[in-house]
Amino acid sequence: MQTVRWVIERDQAAADHPAVLRAAQVIRLGGLVAFPTETVYGLGANALDARAVAGIYRAKQRPLNDPLIVHVASPADVEALADLSGLRERAQALIARFWPGPLTLVLPRRPALPALVSAGLDTVAVRMPNHPVALALIRASGVPLAAPSANRFGHVSPTTAQHVLDDLDGHIDAVLDGGPTTIGVESTVLDLTCDPPRILRPGGVTREQLQAILPGVLPIAPVVAAAGQAMPSPGTSPVHYAPRARLIICRDTGELLRRREACLAQGRSVGLLLRADQRAACQACHPYFMLGDGLDEVARNLYAGLRALDALGVDDILVTAVPREGLGEAIADRLARAAAKTQD
Ligand code: AMP
Ligand code: MG
């Protein structure tokens, strides 16, 4: 299969833009189109078409017990996918505050929605992305889009169209290239079907922000699926978000430099993921990838950094830990998962 790349400026995005119209036609015919959201690129298919949804799992080589997020273009579209009776007030308060945005709500699934979208669970995960290209595509398609991150299963999520092609070229119909994503880590997944609601995956909306609306919300439950069972949240798979290289998380810059020397002494090649304030102490260390300053920039650049150092073929990637507060919770979670792959 030939994968087409359609470039679109985010401020030109509209449901009648020629690239969006062509992409929407692919979706309606049951095809796969990757598209930018504010978090990472998604791999979209018509969520109402079980065959199209099966194509997502195939292209990503994703296990069938790993449910997908359904993307909508308006809060009103949730009602057709999920049964809100009993939790309407909660859901609406969250939607009013955080949509469009990086908050995915897990809700009771309406039976009309293909079970494959939810990996057979009786719940469905829904969100409205805050990106004009994503919203234009959903509107032009006229259907909700099932869309997990547009990477091979277990690999680092894509934050540019090139990342998508690096993983999926030849396996999907098209990618809408709307430039790099702005948040850079995936959405927060919040389960509203339990009481109190529970965060299944930390992400772009922080625990502190959720607690302001839902004081009783429970923090991340470290759930890992038993073999053959549906995972309550795909982000809970410990092999998620992994680069090829070994990732080592250090407490501070001093430990980072010591670990680097130790790895080099073993004949291993080492790349560093650095924050701006570490550059001076690490100026003799090459190669490195600059994540930038502050948690927003670190989140935005993290996956590009992992991919860039992987592409250089280094054996080890070293990074210092971030505080588990605000967006740091999502960053720390992704770093821990990426490191888990090679440390056990
Ligand atoms: P990805 O977009 O590839 O990171 O994966 C899709 C995300 O969907 C996962 O991280 C899950 O958290 C979430 N998800 C999808 N459906 C459900 C569901 N029914 N229950 C819980 N989480 C879900
Ligand atoms: Mg993913």
Side-chain angles (χ1 to χ4, degrees), residues 4 13 28 36 53 73 86 90 108 122 128 139 164 174 182 199 211 222 231 241 273 278 295 297:
V4 197
R28 280 196 303 272
V53 172
R90 258 182 193 169
D122 54 10
M128 177 180 172
R139 288 191 181 118
V164 175
T182 48
I199 299 172
Q211 278 166 341
M231 283 182 253
Y241 317 110
L273 288 174
Q278 298 177 295
L295 292 176
E297 279 191 47

Side-chain angles (χ1 to χ4, degrees), residues 67-287:
L68 312 176
I69 295 173
V70 181
H71 292 67
V72 295
S74 140
D77 297 342
V78 173
E79 302 275 353
L81 307 170
D83 179 3
L84 293 185
S85 37
L87 36 83
R88 181 168 272 103
E89 212 174 312
R90 258 182 193 169
Q92 282 176 347
L94 291 162
I95 287 170
R97 168 70 179 82
F98 296 111
W99 282 14
L103 178 66
T104 297
L105 299 178
V106 173
L107 302 163
R109 176 169 62 87
R110 287 206 188 274
L113 192 66
L116 189 58
V117 170
S118 301
L121 295 170
D122 54 10
T123 55
V124 59
V126 191
R127 91 173 182 104
M128 177 180 172
N130 186 17
H131 195 294
V133 175
L135 293 173
L137 177 63
I138 302 167
R139 288 191 181 118
S141 303
V143 290
L145 296 187
S149 55
N151 51 279
R152 270 185 295 111
F153 178 71
H155 196 200
V156 177
S157 292
T159 54
T160 66
Q162 188 56 50
H163 294 163
V164 175
L165 292 170
D166 290 345
D167 274 25
L168 297 175
D169 196 6
H171 299 275
I172 63 175
D173 295 289
V175 56
L176 276 171
D177 181 351
T181 62
T182 48
I183 294 181
V185 292
E186 295 83 349
S187 60
T188 303
V189 179
L190 180 68
D191 189 352
L192 278 189
T193 66
C194 51
D195 196 14
R198 186 184 283 276
I199 299 172
L200 299 176
R201 175 177 75 179
V205 169
T206 67
R207 176 156 50 102
E208 296 85 345
Q209 287 175 306
L210 286 176
Q211 278 166 341
I213 305 280
L214 281 180
V217 70
L218 292 178
I220 305 95
V223 191
V224 176
Q229 284 184 351
M231 283 182 253
S233 181
T236 59
S237 162
V239 295
H240 250 69
Y241 317 110
R244 185 195 43 73
R246 178 171 71 166
L247 181 71
I248 301 175
I249 304 168
C250 306
R251 271 187 307 280
D252 52 29
T253 309
E255 189 193 347
L256 181 96
L257 290 168
R258 286 193 300 278
R259 295 289 294 258
R260 176 174 178 273
E261 288 305 321
C263 291
L264 292 173
Q266 291 171 3
R268 299 177 65 86
S269 57
V270 181
L272 302 182
L273 288 174
L274 296 178
R275 291 193 316 269
D277 60 298
Q278 298 177 295
R279 183 184 258 147
C282 302
Q283 57 181 318
C285 304
H286 292 278

